[in-house]
Amino acid sequence: MFRIRRIHDAALDANRSAIAEAQAMLREHFPAARPEDVDELPERLENPFRQRFVTLLYVAEGGRGRVQGVAVVLHDPVVRFCYLDYLASAKGRAGRGIGGALYERVRDEVFAHHARGLFFECLPDGPADCPDPHLRKQNAARLKFYERYGARPIVGTEFEAPVAPENRCQPHLVYDGLGRDEPLRRDFARKVVRAVLERKYGYLCPPEYVERVVKSFRDDPVRLREFRYAKQPQLPGALPAGPARRAPIAFVVTDRHEIHHVRERGYVESPVRIKAIQSELQSTGLFETVAPRDFPDKHITAVHGREYFDYIRRACAGVPEGKSVYPYVFPIRNAARPPRDLSIRAGYYCIDTFTPLNQSVMTAARRAVDCALTAAERIVDGHRLAYALVRPPGHHAESKAFGGFCYFNNAAIAAQHLARFGKVAILDVDYHHGNGQQEIFYERNDVLTVSIHGDPAFAYPYFTGFADERGSGAGEGFNVNIPLPEKQNGEQYRKALAPALRLVTDFRPAFLVVALGLDPAKGDPTGTWSLAAKDFEANGRMIGGMKLPTLVVQEGGYRTRTLGVNARHFFQGLAQP
């Protein structure tokens, strides 16, 4: 078994190790490649201006994290094309599906980047161009593989013309239109060829050669070689024809939340919230349902204190069935002398008087964490978008405190997991301040926390969320609070969202976690703002416009009449091409 993930930079030990293994594999498979192309891979990931391409690196990793395959893609966001620079499997791994899985992942990523096509070079399979029969057989196998996706060499140009007369066996330029039923236009192809020859091969190709090859693209549309090995693409994984598709959103729904049903009057965090959202999303065609997995406790205790975790577990187990314990004594937090009685000790760990403990809390909150981690794993495995629809929510849970209907911080636990693979930004768009994420990551610079919320002068949790709380130590400047006035419409909200997104973009995270509160909606019983469905769609569009691998974790939102409609509009905006 293996999984494919994108590596954004060399900041983490796990990424540095994977990059080093990928470099070794490229040197082994492509001994004729310029040493600089491989040696400078880490710098190219960090600095897209180095080659005037954005370098995308994908690795297929086995169960122990060892790299079994690698793909390097160059992306030009201006001309809007991608160039597959390298694709290789580890020695002894050929025929195990790694190369095919990597190529399919690359094609999906090309779609996600809204490129107009994927290009790469492949050595010729004809005797006139490649006299060596052994090499020719290998080349034919590669071209046959790519033909199954509809990719074919461009013909009728001088792209194969050697730079020096003694050069033999020059590669074809192959074009994969990704299943779109559109011809390859001459002007676009010329821009692609110029970019490849000048930027990738500038050290080799003199200007007069570049001009000669570019001008040799005279046909419009550009001609592709007839299918030689297949009449048409046959592989089920080939992308469909027509306009660019929307990649499905991995959708993980908590399956044990209904046991957590607090029936006290005024307790708005009810099971119907999940049903209201889920029923509206089912008809969109945007979601791919994924069953939640079980994850070990270590993921929770990596964020929450072990004593706190054990207290929640023990206290919930000790509450009589059908009963709830509400905090009512709030002792000064003397770690040496917490109250002995677990029911009284609730106030030692809780920040309010309306978040109860009962027998269902541990099971439901634990499963919400599983869902958030399952969705995070989908992001690591290559989905651009994933949604964990969970309850109870989590963003008010601090490392050693619960409150605001929250027990374990689902978004923070998922962010901690993602941070193993690259920098993470958390954007909290709930009406209430995400005090949990702030407290958990306050001294870290690898996780940026940004929260847009009602000013704590009037909005829960009242004691945190002020603009001057900016992090401390290594984390100074990496916590940003944007408190807003009591009255706020959609247009006003977007004026605050825009600079928040610029902060996220400037941070250059590998992943984005959105703590999605739908309580900014008009009429929400816990808020004072007036956002409508169209505003949630506009917000989603703005967030999705960053094109980051994005995990959405459900937080608040309690007006069930509009909850599902607002969620649907948000995701329709988020998933727009």
Side-chain angles (χ1 to χ4, degrees):
M1 294 293 293
F2 60 89
R3 74 175 181 186
I4 298 171
R5 69 180 178 98
R6 179 182 169 187
I7 296 181
H8 295 259
D9 54 45
L12 300 176
D13 289 342
N15 287 356
R16 284 193 292 272
S17 175
I19 291 172
E21 289 185 62
Q23 288 174 305
M25 191 178 299
L26 293 175
R27 293 186 186 102
E28 182 180 21
H29 279 267
F30 304 99
R34 277 204 319 160
E36 300 96 309
D37 286 349
V38 178
D39 296 343
E40 296 176 0
L41 184 56
E43 291 80 7
R44 286 164 53 195
L45 292 173
E46 293 278 358
N47 182 10
F49 302 104
R50 191 176 186 89
Q51 206 176 16
R52 289 190 293 161
F53 284 116
V54 178
T55 300
L56 312 175
L57 172 63
Y58 305 93
V59 295
E61 293 178 323
R64 297 184 178 179
R66 296 301 301 272
V67 173
Q68 299 179 356
V70 59
V72 181
V73 179
L74 307 180
H75 175 224
D76 184 327
V78 177
V79 182
R80 290 179 53 207
F81 78 94
C82 287
Y83 177 87
L84 180 59
D85 204 2
Y86 298 105
L87 178 70
S89 301
K91 293 290 187 182
R93 294 287 175 176
R96 300 195 181 188
I98 295 173
L102 276 167
Y103 187 66
E104 289 175 26
R105 171 66 185 275
V106 165
R107 297 177 88 234
D108 284 342
E109 291 289 325
V110 173
F111 245 108
H113 284 82
H114 307 297
R116 296 168 61 186
L118 173 64
F119 296 81
F120 53 92
E121 293 170 77
C122 204
L123 292 173
D125 53 351
D129 300 313
C130 183
D132 184 336
H134 178 70
L135 181 59
R136 193 165 65 244
K137 183 178 180 181
Q138 292 179 336
N139 299 344
R142 292 191 186 95
L143 285 164
K144 180 179 180 180
F145 166 80
Y146 290 122
E147 262 197 19
R148 297 167 66 194
Y149 295 91
R152 291 173 286 155
I154 292 171
V155 296
T157 76
E158 294 190 46
F159 187 87
E160 294 89 349
V163 178
E166 64 273 15
N167 292 344
R168 301 290 303 274
C169 202
Q170 296 299 292
H172 297 303
L173 180 62
V174 180
Y175 170 67
D176 185 343
L178 308 173
R180 296 187 182 101
D181 190 19
E182 299 173 3
L184 175 58
R185 309 311 313 195
R186 178 185 60 198
D187 290 347
F188 171 57
R190 283 181 170 182
K191 291 177 182 178
V192 170
V193 171
R194 183 179 296 279
V196 171
L197 295 182
E198 289 181 347
R199 299 182 210 166
K200 177 172 171 57
Y201 296 114
Y203 69 96
L204 180 66
C205 300
E208 56 273 17
Y209 175 84
V210 174
E211 291 300 325
R212 169 188 164 193
V213 174
V214 169
K215 290 180 179 178
S216 73
F217 282 70
R218 300 182 181 89
D219 297 323
D220 192 17
V222 174
R223 289 187 291 127
L224 304 181
R225 192 173 81 177
E226 295 294 327
F227 284 100
R228 183 170 292 183
Y229 303 103
K231 292 183 179 180
Q232 57 184 349
Q234 297 292 325
L235 198 71
L239 300 182
R245 66 176 183 177
R246 294 183 182 182
I249 301 169
F251 186 33
V252 188
V253 184
T254 181
D255 56 355
R256 298 176 191 166
H257 74 97
E258 291 188 349
I259 63 171
H260 181 55
H261 192 178
V262 180
R263 300 180 185 276
E264 277 88 343
R265 185 174 180 180
Y267 195 86
V268 295
E269 208 288 284
S270 61
V272 70
R273 298 177 61 238
I274 300 297
K275 295 179 181 178
I277 294 174
Q278 191 174 8
S279 62
E280 274 289 334
L281 301 184
Q282 287 174 340
S283 62
T284 63
L286 291 174
F287 295 89
E288 174 193 346
T289 301
V290 178
R293 287 174 44 203
D294 296 328
F295 286 82
D297 293 344
K298 67 179 182 181
H299 291 279
I300 299 178
T301 55
V303 165
H304 294 286
R306 184 78 214 190
E307 288 185 4
Y308 168 79
F309 174 80
D310 287 340
Y311 169 75
I312 297 289
R313 178 176 52 79
R314 291 169 55 211
C316 291
V319 178
E321 186 176 354
K323 301 292 184 180
S324 291
V325 169
Y326 286 88
Y328 67 98
V329 175
F330 294 85
I332 296 174
R333 278 149 173 82
N334 182 344
R337 291 190 172 184
R340 289 187 178 183
D341 189 291
L342 295 181
S343 63
I344 296 175
R345 198 183 300 180
Y348 184 80
Y349 289 108
C350 192
I351 64 175
D352 58 42
T353 61
F354 55 82
T355 304
L357 294 174
N358 54 51
Q359 284 194 1
S360 68
V361 160
M362 184 66 183
T363 301
R366 188 69 186 70
R367 195 54 167 175
V369 170
D370 286 338
C371 292
L373 288 170
T374 300
E377 279 286 282
R378 285 297 169 129
I379 294 294
V380 173
D381 288 345
H383 272 77
R384 189 174 74 83
L385 302 173
Y387 176 32
L389 176 54
V390 300
R391 63 172 294 272
H395 74 142
H396 292 307
E398 299 182 356
S399 61
K400 299 178 182 179
F402 66 96
F405 311 136
C406 304
Y407 304 92
F408 300 134
N409 197 312
N410 308 306
I413 293 168
Q416 172 73 16
H417 181 61
L418 291 171
R420 297 167 51 205
F421 307 104
K423 294 192 301 183
V424 181
I426 302 178
L427 175 66
D428 193 314
V429 293
D430 192 278
Y431 175 83
H432 307 92
H433 176 236
N435 58 291
Q437 294 94 257
Q438 171 172 302
E439 185 266 343
I440 289 165
F441 297 112
Y442 204 63
E443 297 183 352
R444 287 174 55 173
N445 59 12
D446 62 326
V447 179
L448 172 71
T449 51
V450 181
S451 180
I452 307 172
H453 52 267
D455 195 302
F458 61 83
Y460 183 91
Y462 305 109
F463 63 87
T464 182
F466 300 94
D468 60 357
E469 297 167 349
R470 296 185 47 77
S472 66
E476 185 172 357
F478 292 91
N479 183 81
V480 179
N481 289 324
I482 305 176
L484 300 180
E486 196 165 0
K487 301 300 181 184
Q488 201 78 186
N489 61 31
E491 183 178 356
Q492 292 168 324
Y493 186 91
R494 287 189 289 280
K495 288 181 180 178
L497 179 60
L501 299 186
R502 285 196 292 271
L503 289 169
V504 171
T505 300
D506 291 344
F507 181 63
R508 295 186 63 196
F511 309 102
L512 173 65
V513 176
V514 177
L516 176 64
L518 297 168
D519 41 8
K522 183 177 181 179
D524 190 278
T526 69
T528 60
W529 295 344
S530 58
L531 274 65
K534 65 178 182 179
D535 299 311
F536 284 101
E537 183 163 344
N539 295 346
R541 190 180 304 115
M542 291 174 67
I543 295 170
M546 292 188 291
K547 305 304 178 189
L548 290 169
T550 300
L551 166 63
V552 180
V553 180
Q554 187 62 48
E555 299 294 348
Y558 305 99
R559 189 172 188 260
T560 55
R561 286 172 54 192
T562 58
L563 197 58
V565 172
N566 291 337
R568 171 167 57 82
H569 278 267
F570 174 82
F571 284 104
Q572 286 173 336
L574 185 73
Q576 282 195 0

